[in-house]
Amino acid sequence: HIMPSMNPDGYEVAAKQGPDSNGYLTGRNNANGVDLNRNFPDLNTLMYYSREISGPNHHIPLPDNWKSQVEPETLAVIQWISSYNFVLSANLHGGAVVANYPYDKSQDQRFRSHRRTVNTPTPDDKLFQKLAKTYSYAHSWMHRGWNCGDYFADGITNGASWYSLSKGMQDFNYLYTNCFEITLELSCNKFPPEEDLERQWMANREALVAFIEEVHQGIKGLVSDENNNGIAGAVISVQGISHDVTSGDMGDYFRLLLPGTYTVTASAEGYQPQTVTTTVGPAAPSLVHFQLKQEIVRKPPERKSSGTRMNNKALQKKVVPRATRQRTQR
């Protein structure tokens, strides 16, 4: 899927200004004056708290009244990314040349207002670094590090290590959906002139394809019941990585992983969990299917009456049907 612009109103403003103007931030906001990449629900704060109390590590519930707190464009994007079981994505920006990966928001509040803050990795940090490097080294010059007067080793950076950003899109994707997203800063100039577009395209063309191909790594398969019906919303957990993904409407799942051997568990409400060990290679995803058995519902033992034997007999006498009483009396 390709979304040409999340902010068409802002783009229109920038286009009217033209590439020769000095308005670096012109067009950044939407028609309501809101920066859309600071407008997604803040799930980082909820996740940091949840982690302290051993709460959920994926699909963090949205806050109450969240729809009234976001812009129409943000709402449309959230509904879009919730409608498909996306696996991998990138959002494209200008103003720097670097591949930026989650988390964007620092957990330590002391560092949220300063550049060059503190590295804040996700549980999938090594995987995100690999995704970012795939783009950077396929790009014509991003991997060199020195760009736009700034230096990033290998042309990549952890978002919060660069500067802390709250309510961003890539963190939201990771914490609310199954999708792994990075942010690609592609040009020092936020509105490149027409004569520079072909050069920019050639610099990014192979990198875009290489990044898309990264979706073919890890494990994938189906989670079904004993009758081969797909189980939607099954949780796929990888031992040692505290971030789970879930199956789609048809029971299909995809979990990006680096090459290695993993212990993977599929679980769903009403079913017995199933655990397997699988090896992931560098060339293609490993196919791992799960078939879950329904849980055996055990009836609780009957509670004995706390009354005396005399009371029990009296109770039994009361519930004897009339016809039975008459036969007994005869």
Side-chain angles (χ1 to χ4, degrees):
H1 293 239
I2 298 176
M3 178 177 60
S5 175
M6 183 179 168
N7 185 14
D9 292 329
Y11 176 81
E12 184 177 342
V13 171
K16 288 180 179 178
Q17 170 189 267
D20 298 326
S21 174
N22 293 323
Y24 184 74
L25 297 179
T26 301
R28 182 180 185 92
N29 297 337
N30 72 346
N32 294 329
V34 176
D35 184 341
L36 298 177
N37 199 39
R38 309 291 192 278
N39 188 238
F40 287 81
D42 180 10
L43 300 186
N44 294 73
T45 299
L46 298 177
M47 180 272 299
Y48 293 143
Y49 174 73
S50 177
R51 192 163 59 183
E52 293 177 357
I53 61 174
S54 300
N57 61 24
H58 66 99
H59 293 77
I60 307 295
L62 295 175
D64 294 337
N65 302 320
W66 69 271
K67 289 185 179 180
S68 64
Q69 301 171 15
V70 300
E71 292 296 297
E73 299 94 333
T74 310
L75 176 60
V77 169
I78 292 176
Q79 292 173 337
W80 173 54
I81 64 179
S82 300
S83 301
Y84 295 91
N85 194 13
F86 287 122
V87 180
L88 181 68
S89 64
N91 63 81
L92 313 182
H93 292 230
V97 178
V98 64
N100 171 27
Y101 56 90
Y103 288 121
D104 265 336
K105 184 174 182 177
S106 172
Q107 183 174 4
D108 194 329
Q109 296 183 3
R110 296 174 299 172
F111 298 105
R112 290 183 185 167
S113 59
H114 304 285
R115 292 177 67 87
R116 300 298 186 195
T117 56
V118 58
N119 185 60
T120 307
T122 69
D124 288 284
D125 187 58
K126 291 183 179 179
L127 173 61
F128 272 117
Q129 288 188 43
K130 199 248 185 179
L131 294 173
K133 285 182 180 179
T134 295
Y135 197 96
S136 174
Y137 276 88
H139 188 279
S140 296
W141 56 82
M142 184 182 289
H143 60 278
R144 298 174 186 171
W146 281 109
N147 291 292
C148 313
D150 212 341
Y151 178 76
F152 300 97
D154 295 313
I156 69 172
T157 184
N158 171 263
S161 182
W162 184 11
Y163 63 92
S164 186
L165 182 161
S166 183
K167 301 182 180 181
M169 184 174 178
Q170 70 175 8
D171 285 7
F172 179 84
N173 268 276
Y174 184 68
L175 294 174
Y176 185 65
T177 76
N178 290 326
C179 191
F180 287 52
E181 178 166 290
I182 67 174
T183 300
L184 299 173
E185 303 278 356
L186 300 182
S187 171
C188 302
N189 192 334
K190 284 183 172 291
F191 203 101
E194 182 179 354
E195 57 270 21
D196 192 37
L197 293 182
E198 183 176 0
R199 173 176 173 267
Q200 292 291 342
W201 166 242
M202 296 303 294
N204 287 280
R205 183 180 61 179
E206 295 302 322
L208 287 166
V209 174
F211 181 77
I212 291 172
E213 291 175 341
E214 286 297 295
V215 76
H216 299 295
Q217 62 174 316
I219 58 175
K220 66 178 182 179
L222 294 172
V223 183
S224 60
D225 61 18
E226 295 175 278
N227 296 317
N228 294 320
N229 298 311
I231 301 175
V235 177
I236 311 300
S237 306
V238 179
Q239 184 176 315
I241 304 177
S242 58
H243 182 83
D244 305 333
V245 300
T246 57
S247 60
D249 293 338
M250 305 300 293
D252 55 308
Y253 79 92
F254 305 82
R255 212 307 178 183
L256 297 180
L257 291 169
L258 294 174
T261 300
Y262 299 91
T263 300
V264 186
T265 300
S267 58
E269 186 175 356
Y271 295 89
Q272 301 176 31
Q274 182 183 358
T275 300
V276 300
T277 299
T278 185
T279 298
V280 174
S286 298
L287 198 59
V288 182
H289 297 309
F290 294 93
Q291 191 167 45
L292 305 186
K293 297 180 180 180
Q294 283 192 319
E295 284 184 337
I296 300 175
V297 181
R298 300 182 182 276
K299 292 183 179 181
E302 295 183 2
R303 293 183 59 185
K304 294 183 179 180
S305 175
S306 58
T308 63
R309 184 176 300 176
M310 183 179 297
N311 288 339
N312 283 340
K313 286 184 177 181
L315 181 61
Q316 291 174 3
K317 185 176 181 180
K318 289 182 180 179
V319 299
V320 174
R322 178 177 297 177
T324 305
R325 256 198 332 266
Q326 290 174 349
R327 284 196 298 270
T328 303
Q329 291 169 352
R330 290 175 186 170

